[in-house]
């Protein structure tokens, strides 16, 4: 069943540093764009801090420790009252700056076809996992597909609509192998998303063999 928000269990895993680097980047970026979710996670961070005192040697070596360290370094560079959007990459949420030093304008997109472009982030992932920026041109869509694992789609710019509703900047769409959907970008501008997939997508329809090949 699709969700619009991260659940408490995921936020707790993030706050305690037990989430991998790839999903942690999605959570951190979502929190930078959605202040209400950030308030909620502070409670978990207080709890996580208490846990870390006991678990620190293990927690700091975890992949999530790596992304948190990068984010903290980025935050240290910013003024204490800086807006979530860092100056280094105009329009880029602070957690992404370490991964995209030239901002969204400097992204070397790979055209996938059908108005879709992709940029796979240089981030260590488990086998089958992928973290990528996805650009859907205005009015275009990702072909109908389902998933071999969970898929998190965080909107950075523009908006898209699918069978589960409409998602704008800061919204996160969580889909599972039970969901089949066809996300379509709004007609007034390109939609740029940060996506995390546990496994390749599974496309349906007449062009499915081609898209399934490209998605591997
Ligand atoms: Zn999907």
């Amino acid at each position: 069943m699709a969700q619009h928000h991260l659940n408490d269990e995921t936020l707790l895993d993030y706050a305690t540093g037990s989430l991998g680097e790839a999903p942690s980047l999605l959570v951190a970026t979502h929190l930078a764009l959605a202040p209400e979710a950030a308030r909620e996670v502070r409670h978990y961070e207080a709890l996580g801090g208490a846990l870390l005192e006991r678990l620190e040697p293990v927690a700091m070596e975890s992949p999530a420790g790596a992304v948190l360290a990068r984010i903290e370094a980025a935050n240290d560079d910013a003024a204490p009252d800086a807006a979530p959007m860092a100056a280094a990459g105009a329009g880029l949420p602070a957690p992404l700056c370490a991964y995209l030093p030239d901002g969204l304008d400097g992204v070397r997109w790979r055209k996938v076809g059908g108005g879709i472009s992709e940029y796979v982030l240089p981030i260590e992932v488990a086998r089958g996992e992928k973290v990528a920026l996805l650009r859907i041109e205005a009015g275009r869509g990702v072909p109908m597909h389902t998933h071999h694992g969970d898929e998190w789609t965080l909107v950075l710019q523009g908006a898209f609509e699918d069978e589960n509703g409409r998602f704008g900047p800061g919204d996160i769409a969580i889909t599972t192998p039970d969901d089949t959907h066809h996300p379509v970008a709004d007609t007034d501008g390109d939609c740029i998303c940060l996506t995390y997939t546990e496994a390749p997508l599974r496309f349906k329809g007449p062009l499915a063999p081609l898209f399934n090949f490209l998605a591997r």
Side-chain angles (χ1 to χ4, degrees), residues 145 147 151 175 181 201:
H145 66 272
H147 319 86
E151 175 191 64
T175 39
H181 67 155
L201 308 187

Side-chain angles (χ1 to χ4, degrees), residues 29 32-33 83-107 109 121 133 156-157 192 194:
T29 307
L33 293 169
M85 297 295 183
L92 202 61
L96 277 178
C97 290
Y99 298 91
L100 301 168
D102 299 324
L104 285 180
D105 291 342
V107 172
W109 295 102
L121 264 68
L133 289 176
L156 301 177
Q157 206 174 89
I192 298 179
L194 178 65

